[in-house]
Amino acid sequence: MKKILLIIQREFLTRVRKRSFIITTLLFPLLYLALIFGTAFIGEKGQTKLKIAVLDSSGKFTKARVDSANAFDKASTLVLVNETPASLEKDFEHKGYDGFVIIPANTVGTMAPDKIEIKANRTLGTASSVQSKLNTIWNDIKYEELGIDSQKQKQLNDSKLTVQVENMQDKGSNAKIASLTGYITGFLIYFILLIYGSQVMMGVMEEKTNRIAEIMVSSVKPFQLMVGKIIGIAAVALTQFLLWIVFVFLIYNITKSGSAGNSAMAVVVGQAQEVFSSLNIPQLLFLFAFYFLGGFFFYASMYAAIGSAVNEDMREAQSLSFPITMIIIFAIFILTIAMQDPTSPIAVWGSIIPFTSPIVMMARVPYGIPGTVPYWQLFLSMGLLVGGFLFMAWFAGKIYRTGILMYGKKPTWKEMLKWAFK
Amino acid sequence: MLGPNGAGKTTLIRMITGIFYPDSGNIIFDGKPFDAENDITKIGYMPEERGLYKKMKIGEQAVYLAQLKGLSKRDAVARIKDWFARFEMESWWNKKVEDLSKGMQQKLQFVITVLHHPRLIILDEPFSGLDPVNSNLIKDEIYKLARNGSTIIFSTHRMEQVEEICDHIVLVNKGRKILDGTVQQVKQDFKENLFNIGFSDAFAESELNNELFDVVSASQNSMVIQKKENRSNNEILQYFLNNGASIDSFNEMLPSLSDIFIREVEGTPLARRFESN
């Protein structure tokens, strides 16, 4: 036991002290934020602002209406012009317009909806802003023609039915937040399995190619060496998570205290509060830790077995680990189904079978326990995962002890199974 | 322990160090059945394929490996400092293994092997890659360890080193022990009663067909003979003196371990090698 602790300590410390660990731990959240704000920024700045000339034959599109529509939405500009269609078509580009629309006179006369075309000399992409502006003006005209005053307008607009699904077993669970939370946690586990799983594989390969494996196994049992490495690396991943959680907590508190005079920030904080209140955070964190560790032990054992079987050639390792990577990717596929329909049979079974349960269960849990995930499913899934990783560690340990001192040709999966069951 | 490539030396060592389990048979360590869990700390093993963590600092690595052998951190640090001083390696503590030359790595590997004062030390080709100066340094340390009561198993196919260093040899081939004994005794067991006789004057070979010996090879000033059974050396000497030879030297040719090795592994008798000359 003392030896395993020593191995865990070494695996943990050598990794945590590496510059790359510190850099990724610090940079990942920053990059993540930059990505979110960057895409929002690019989305806003990258849009072309269309300037469209409006030739109104109905006489109802008044300057006042157009101006008020323009003031409301800056993504495009409508300009009323007073020209003949022929002259407009000839020189709208010279006058600085991206395109022009002609409002037919009969549209307003018959109150019939019409298809309005923006005519341009190039493809303008989506013109949703122009469409919504024209509709705003069009609504205004309709209201006036039908004699609906502003109070009735308000009644018309505000009296809409909103449909929200509520699971009576899980009061307060919010489907949108639950599916987003499931997506984030499931993906985090997916990344850990792939990134840290391959770290286990490369760590084992390093020991094998450096030929330190033989020195090590003359001091400790191969199984102790393998388990020590897996736990050590799991501790590294856990540390990284803990740091990120602390990071998020700090940012949340800083924005909260800084949001007093800033309405945009207050909105963000309010949303965060809504998310936190609709989720059972301690339960979620516990299950996340459980499925993360269970899934990691389950898959890391397999990666360790592969690392022990191959030589220094990364391609050999990749070709042997391909089937395992495929299963993990398949789990992500089930996750996307489970996010939308957490009680569908594929989501239920995917969250019980240990090959996919670490990822899929995380998509179902935020919807609520025991409403969406009955206790029997949760406990069956947890029990199978524990049993699964114990079996996997035993199985991989058999391959590992043979493979770690075996040099030469790359074994096939069939040969590795023979090592395990001989 | 001697044996040709693939004889099973490393496999045997791996069983003794608890890495492999024997299919049959027992390993007795210190008079008791081998208990890998506890006895492993009494064994120091230096494999033929040397290996260390390349990116780890040398001092840290030595401490880590010593702790795995059951030393406390404090003891480990003290002993490593002591060994590093003896081998003039003090300045290496914070270097990484990848920065060392092959010979330096070899010395480090030796230190790590014997650091925990093992009762049994297993060295697989300990001198490969070392220059003569460092070879002697290690050899002296091995003698010292042996004098202090450690048993040393030395696995090699370098015969001259075996004759120089070993007390007792075991020859294995195809997974079986084929001979076992002290170096002197093995040589005695394998002698083929060959004698080399030197003459000060040219000895003309006359009719030497006799009851005492067979001639294996002969030149002007020397002759290799094989004594027949139950004949004494004096009888042979007498025979030559009677035939007017002036004898310069008369030596029994004991086989070298290398000869025995080849004979046992290939089944070539010693005498035939002289016949072809």
Side-chain angles (χ1 to χ4, degrees), chain A residues 2-3 6-7 10-11 14 17 206-207 209-212 214-222 224-225 229 401 405, chain B residues 10 14 17 19-21 37 40-41 45 47 49-56 60-61 64-65 67-69 71 109:
Chain A
K2 194 170 156 259
K3 287 177 180 174
L6 278 169
I7 295 169
R10 189 201 89 89
E11 296 292 338
T14 49
R17 280 190 305 202
E206 183 206 354
E207 269 167 4
T209 49
N210 281 356
R211 308 264 176 173
I212 180 108
E214 191 158 5
I215 308 254
M216 292 300 294
V217 295
S218 72
S219 299
V220 300
K221 289 195 184 128
Q224 292 175 318
L225 181 59
K229 181 175 283 294
R401 60 172 299 128
L405 295 175
Chain B
T10 304
R14 284 177 180 174
T17 48
I19 298 172
F20 289 170
Y21 298 126
E37 193 72 12
I40 207 141
T41 56
Y45 170 37
E49 295 282 359
R50 317 277 189 258
L52 292 166
Y53 288 107
K54 292 214 163 29
K55 304 260 177 214
M56 214 174 161
E60 251 171 55
Q61 177 151 213
Y64 171 61
L65 291 171
Q67 280 182 293
L68 284 180
K69 283 290 191 186
L71 285 189
Q109 197 100 47

Side-chain angles (χ1 to χ4, degrees), chain B residues 5 15 31 53 69-70 74 96 102 112 114 117 129 147-148 182 191 196 220 222 228 245 267 274:
Chain B
N5 296 330
M15 286 193 275
Y53 288 107
K69 283 290 191 186
R74 191 144 44 93
K96 285 182 180 169
K102 199 168 170 248
I112 287 170
V114 300
H117 295 174
R147 271 203 305 280
N148 290 337
T182 64
K191 69 180 181 186
N196 190 347
Q220 245 188 358
S222 73
K228 289 194 172 164
F274 293 98

Side-chain angles (χ1 to χ4, degrees), chain B residues 254-270:
Chain B
L254 283 177
S256 71
L257 285 178
S258 176
D259 296 329
I260 297 172
F261 181 91
I262 290 167
R263 183 191 137 149
E264 281 304 296
V265 171
E266 289 181 356
T268 322
L270 195 54

Side-chain angles (χ1 to χ4, degrees), chain A residues 53-56 79-85 87-88 95 97:
Chain A
V54 180
L55 203 158
D56 179 29
V79 182
L80 270 180
V81 290
N82 204 356
E83 286 184 59
T84 62
S87 74
L88 189 60
K95 292 182 175 166
Y97 301 114

Side-chain angles (χ1 to χ4, degrees), chain B residues 1 16 20 22 27-28 68 78 94 123 126 148 163 187 199 213 228-229 237 247 251-252 270 275:
Chain B
M1 181 161 54
I16 298 172
F20 289 170
I27 297 165
I28 307 292
L68 284 180
N94 281 322
L123 304 171
N148 290 337
E163 283 190 55
K187 285 191 171 189
F199 307 105
F213 58 85
K228 289 194 172 164
E229 252 174 72
L237 274 173
I247 293 174
N251 290 314
E252 173 152 30
L270 195 54
E275 281 165 9

Side-chain angles (χ1 to χ4, degrees), chain B residues 126-160:
Chain B
F127 303 113
S128 72
L130 283 180
D131 62 36
V133 176
N134 282 318
S135 270
N136 278 332
L137 194 69
I138 301 273
K139 212 184 288 170
D140 288 344
E141 293 298 336
I142 293 176
Y143 284 137
K144 218 180 279 175
L145 289 163
R147 271 203 305 280
N148 290 337
S150 295
T151 305
I152 293 162
I153 297 180
F154 180 27
S155 166
T156 188
H157 27 247
R158 300 270 302 274
M159 298 302 154
E160 73 285 358

